[in-house]
Amino acid sequence: MKLKVFNRAGELLTAELPPVVKSDAEWQQQLSAEEFAIARNKGTERAFCGTLLDNKRDGVYSCVCCGLPLFRSSEKFNSGTGWPSFFQPIAEENVVTEIDRAYGMVRTEILCARCDCHLGHVFEDGPRPTGLRFCVNGASLRFTDAAEVASLADPAL
């Protein structure tokens, strides 16, 4: 699959990457209990409780499961909902959507394109320029400071 990843110079490039597929047991060894419940079992962290909600540092938010870069801090905004919110992903191809009919609602779920990590949902009540609000569980993300973005480089690049 073609996805956007960083090279060693910190530049976002398109690369052909295999999907990341692991058993539940392997994910449980890698993730905390909360991360596993949210990222792999489509849970939701409590509003206003995530560690990344108030993060104002410049950098990149990546998938907690596979490390794929998903969002930039420059696209983050305070939605007042209690979850980190972004008006667009770092690259459209890095995030996929599915219809979520759980709990008697119809919503658009967002997932990591590489490993199917549950990120949250996208809504059409965001700011310009997209009008979208990618409402993301902080437990589904890892933050990397802008000065360290080159450390996210895929080893194949």
Side-chain angles (χ1 to χ4, degrees):
M1 62 183 46
K2 289 186 187 248
L3 301 168
K4 297 277 186 172
V5 293
F6 288 100
N7 66 11
R8 291 187 182 122
E11 301 164 319
L12 199 60
L13 303 174
T14 301
E16 187 73 33
L17 299 173
V20 174
V21 179
K22 296 182 180 183
S23 69
D24 281 350
E26 290 172 309
W27 287 123
Q28 286 173 321
Q29 286 182 336
Q30 175 184 329
L31 303 169
S32 72
E34 179 187 29
E35 291 167 344
F36 181 80
I38 292 168
R40 305 313 311 173
N41 287 331
K42 301 180 186 263
T44 301
E45 66 190 359
R46 290 187 356 214
F48 300 101
C49 291
T51 60
L52 295 175
L53 176 63
D54 295 322
N55 181 23
K56 306 247 189 291
R57 296 178 290 163
D58 185 27
V60 172
Y61 296 84
S62 300
C63 176
V64 70
C65 295
C66 72
L68 186 69
L70 299 170
F71 301 97
R72 292 183 204 266
S73 58
S74 58
E75 288 132 6
K76 186 176 184 219
F77 68 98
N78 182 356
S79 66
T81 62
W83 291 277
S85 297
F86 304 85
F87 61 81
Q88 68 187 17
I90 202 165
E92 286 184 23
E93 55 267 55
N94 287 16
V95 175
V96 295
T97 61
E98 290 183 0
I99 299 301
D100 176 4
R101 289 182 162 72
Y103 307 108
M105 297 181 276
V106 178
R107 300 177 292 175
T108 303
E109 179 184 9
I110 50 176
L111 303 133
C112 172
R114 189 169 189 201
C115 72
D116 289 328
C117 169
H118 170 73
L119 302 171
H121 294 86
V122 63
F123 302 96
E124 295 181 353
D125 61 359
R128 291 182 176 185
T130 65
L132 298 175
R133 173 174 53 97
F134 290 80
C135 187
V136 184
N137 290 292
S140 295
L141 301 173
R142 289 266 190 269
F143 179 77
T144 303
D145 282 305
E148 302 296 322
V149 167
S151 71
L152 297 175
D154 190 276
L157 297 180

